[in-house]
Amino acid sequence: EVQLVESGGGLVQPGGSLRLSCSVSEFTLSDYGMHWVRQAPGKGLEYVSAISNDGTRIYYGVSVRGRFTISRDISKNTLYLQMSSLRTEDTAIYYCVRRLPNTSKFDYWGQGTLVTVSS
Amino acid sequence: QSALTQPASVSGSPGQSITISCTGTSSDVGGYKYVSWYQQHPGKVPKLMIYDVTNRPSGISDRFSGSKSGNTASLTISGLQAEDEADYYCSSYTNSGTLYVFGTGTTVTVL
């Protein structure tokens, strides 16, 4: 069964850093585009970052550009999101999502990990 | 990149049909076939309902259908049921630096 399991969330002070991980099983990261999507409490969905299936193309949302870095380790079947210079407005549930290349088929989502930025 | 525009709420009685609109621009919805729709119940993970404008993933009821005209995509729910009460989000590929963009979200209420 395809699974995506996020970890690494927690409470961090403004200006701090955090690294999220997304461990995947029953598929290979090199076969899918991978995305981080977040949802602030009571708010809508927002695309944060993406990496193409071949790893050559990386994208960031305007609100996180220059502060967040997406990466992956194929051998560990793990996707990462390094977050730095965190702001209170980064408080959200962060979901790891896979997408079939050349489609808009975001078919599997992780359960999400909560990041709280507060002093 | 601005979010795609959806109505804040749509309601209908059981058995009726409702349509949720998703308006963008020629840089996203109007320019590509990569529109998808997600259903989210409170406290739950979003679920893919429609992808590539009209395609339903395996296991999704045929009561859900998608379409697009110009810069506006639509999700239609036929034979509305109590379990359809949820938030719905559209999403589109965009030629901006973010790759994809979500809609503002629509709360569907079954009267």
Side-chain angles (χ1 to χ4, degrees):
Chain A
E1 180 188 0
V2 170
Q3 285 194 321
L4 297 83
V5 180
E6 302 94 338
S7 60
L11 175 63
V12 60
Q13 292 188 339
S17 298
L18 212 56
R19 188 178 82 158
L20 305 183
S21 299
C22 173
S23 177
V24 308
S25 55
E26 298 303 317
F27 72 96
T28 304
L29 291 177
S30 56
D31 289 339
Y32 289 86
M34 296 299 297
H35 298 247
W36 288 98
V37 173
R38 70 183 181 184
Q39 187 169 34
K43 302 297 183 181
L45 301 171
E46 178 187 10
Y47 284 105
V48 174
S49 184
I51 184 167
S52 61
N53 59 308
D54 61 8
T56 61
R57 287 156 285 155
I58 286 175
Y59 306 87
Y60 296 101
V62 172
S63 59
V64 307
R65 205 165 289 163
R67 300 187 298 123
F68 290 11
T69 302
I70 191 172
S71 63
R72 66 182 188 175
D73 187 327
I74 299 290
S75 66
K76 294 183 178 179
N77 296 318
T78 303
L79 177 74
Y80 302 100
L81 185 68
Q82 178 68 47
M83 305 185 294
S84 60
S85 303
L86 283 162
R87 307 166 180 169
T88 55
E89 55 264 36
D90 294 319
T91 294
I93 296 174
Y94 285 73
Y95 297 102
C96 168
V97 192
R98 84 169 193 180
R99 179 181 59 85
L100 186 66
N102 300 314
T103 77
S104 58
K105 193 177 185 181
F106 292 80
D107 58 353
Y108 280 90
W109 296 58
Q111 286 300 307
T113 186
L114 177 62
V115 173
T116 302
V117 184
S118 175
S119 54
Chain B
Q1 175 63 48
S2 299
L4 307 174
T5 301
Q6 297 180 233
S9 62
V10 173
S11 62
S13 300
Q16 285 187 328
S17 294
I18 62 170
T19 297
I20 303 168
S21 62
C22 170
T23 301
T25 69
S26 58
S27 296
D28 38 64
V29 175
Y32 307 93
K33 67 174 184 177
Y34 302 123
V35 175
S36 50
W37 290 89
Y38 303 86
Q39 176 193 67
Q40 187 180 33
H41 287 107
K44 300 297 185 182
V45 176
K47 179 181 179 181
L48 177 66
M49 305 303 285
I50 296 287
Y51 69 97
D52 293 353
V53 181
T54 61
N55 295 329
R56 268 188 314 275
S58 173
I60 299 301
S61 170
D62 60 6
R63 296 188 300 106
F64 293 85
S65 62
S67 62
K68 189 184 82 163
S69 178
N71 294 338
T72 298
S74 299
L75 174 71
T76 297
I77 308 175
S78 305
L80 199 62
Q81 299 179 1
E83 67 205 49
D84 300 331
E85 192 162 282
D87 292 328
Y88 291 82
Y89 294 90
C90 64
S91 169
S92 173
Y93 173 87
T94 172
N95 60 20
S96 75
T98 61
L99 192 63
Y100 276 87
V101 60
F102 278 110
T104 50
T106 298
T107 298
V108 169
T109 302
V110 181
L111 301 172

